[in-house]
Amino acid sequence: MTLTDFDPDDFPIVVAIDFGTTFSGCAYAFAADDKEPRPLTSWPKQNNQYAKTPTLNLYKKANGDSRMVEWGWKSKMVMQSPTASKYVQLYQYKLYLDESAALTPWKKENGVSVLKAISDYLGALHEYVADKILQEFGPSYTRKSFRYCLTVPAMWSDKAKDVMRKAAINANMVTETDHPDRLMLVSEPEAAALYCERACKQYDLGHGDRFMICDAGGGTVDLIVYDIAISSQGRSLSEVTKGHGASCGSTFIDMNFRNLLVEKFGKRSDKVPSSVISELVETFAYQLKPHFDGDEDQHLSLPRHDCFEELEDLGAIGIDGSYMRLKASELKSRVFEPVVKKVLALIQGQLDGAKNVSAIFMVGGFGASTYLLDRAKQEFRGKVRTISAPYKPELAVVCGAVYAGLNPKVVTARITRRCYGIGMEDLFNEKIDPVVLKVHRINGIMCTNRFKPFVKKAQKVEVNECVAHSLFFIQDQVCTYYSVPIYAINGDPPRHTTAAGMSKLATISVPNPFQSWDPIGHKVAIEVKMYFGLNEIRGDVFVLGKKHTATLRFDGGNSY
């Protein structure tokens, strides 16, 4: 399919959605007038002032019924009501897009896959935010006026990012026929960097300085170091290190706390219903976890329930009346430190790769944690001049994503996460090519599965930089479409696509360029242009002077 050039003016309203493991948010701006994002702070059935809504889906327990009935705060309310047993609530499913996370296999409750859960949630959230946003604009503006910035972890694979694009299409945010640039995938730490970049003067950061973003959310922690450049055209950022991260967000602190509770309740823990334990974990997560400093003991409010009378030695457990006393030392060693140490190790890894970092900004819901910020200062104070959490760190990603939509040229260069290239045929070399790859073609003895690298791992690539290679299609059989496979490897480029560690990411399909009268052996020159400086791999194919869309279909995208 041939595409026209994308014109941002056709979509004057920038809408950013931060789809999170535990909470999700939205911000927007009118591109012509707004200099600052407007975050949505009101959500359906919300009973507090938090600017995000829970990432929760609710389904009825019915055979074959996979329709989502509630989401967000309303889902939470239903699960706290007497009718809770009639429903299934899905949560933390975003974690399953991290292929490196050690998780129990996903159970298709009510036949709902991870992709469907994400699609259902995004659909409901988008329906709500679209109506709220359009209330502020005249009748000439509709949902067709929106262009979207959807945030994704930098550590995610290309396949996981493609799942999010599929989910956005399923959620009716965009359509298959929309220009791909109408939906912009923005890495979460990059969005946070654009948010923090506006405070550079406040932190005395100037030309040549480097700062690190540690985006610590509910599920993942993402980190990247940026270099600041100031010119007559303003301030710009470029990646210094390959962004990396891990699934070690605050959700894992909650898991540790749940395990600690079960251990404290001892042999009679089975007398405490799972709903009560979940309520205790939630109380801890909302009321105690954010402000825990590692020094003061905490007191957890207990719900009214007869189950606590079934426990043995309440004093040893720490229960006194309607409260449970939690020792600071125990919370540190058993709940916080196992997760915080992983975050500190990630920060150290970025410092080792970047050198001379002037500031570390802690953003995200977990980034606002008093304990995490204090531990980062304790660990790195002698190495980094400034370690801080900016104003409203939980909104850094969603507001920064709006900035990305308003001015996508602030980030000028990125570091490639892997080595990327294409599969092709080339002349067979008896000395180094395996016989199993040897084929006879009209143009000679060829080697199949040859790998032609476009970029190497950890290579710095300008955002608008195009990597191009000229190839030939040769007429030797009747084909409706010709294809160019895209491969990646987390290491140096091998000679063959069959090498260990190589993965096929996608296929660029090109309509048959030959005419019916072209003879066997006829050659048609093609040019493959790839763009790796974006948050997604993008490509164009030129055949006979005509530009075609490089539609990347990621293998296994429907396996989630």
Side-chain angles (χ1 to χ4, degrees), residues 100 155 157-158 242-244 415-421 451 455-459 487-494 499-505:
S100 64
M155 55 177 275
S157 68
D158 302 293
K242 180 175 74 73
H244 79 297
I415 305 296
T416 55
R417 275 42 174 174
R418 293 194 279 176
C419 169
Y420 295 94
F451 180 63
V455 291
K456 295 181 178 180
K457 179 183 177 181
Q459 180 177 330
Y487 288 89
I489 189 169
N490 190 27
D492 294 330
M502 181 71 78
S503 59
K504 183 181 176 184
L505 296 181

Side-chain angles (χ1 to χ4, degrees), residues 421-451:
I422 63 172
M424 56 176 290
E425 289 187 1
D426 206 347
L427 290 173
F428 187 80
N429 187 322
E430 298 280 357
K431 295 181 179 179
I432 54 178
D433 292 325
V435 176
V436 293
L437 300 181
K438 183 178 181 179
V439 294
H440 292 268
R441 300 294 191 207
I442 191 73
N443 55 321
I445 300 175
M446 308 298 288
C447 177
T448 62
N449 299 100
R450 281 292 305 276
F451 180 63

Side-chain angles (χ1 to χ4, degrees), residues 13 15 26-28 38-46 71 124-138 143 146:
I13 303 173
V15 179
C26 176
Y28 63 100
R38 308 184 209 175
L40 257 66
T41 56
S42 174
W43 297 96
K45 303 300 180 180
Q46 186 177 16
W71 63 285
L125 183 142
H126 176 250
E127 189 72 21
Y128 174 78
V129 302
D131 287 346
K132 291 286 288 186
I133 292 170
L134 289 175
Q135 289 175 9
E136 299 187 20
F137 294 89
R143 298 183 188 192
F146 294 171

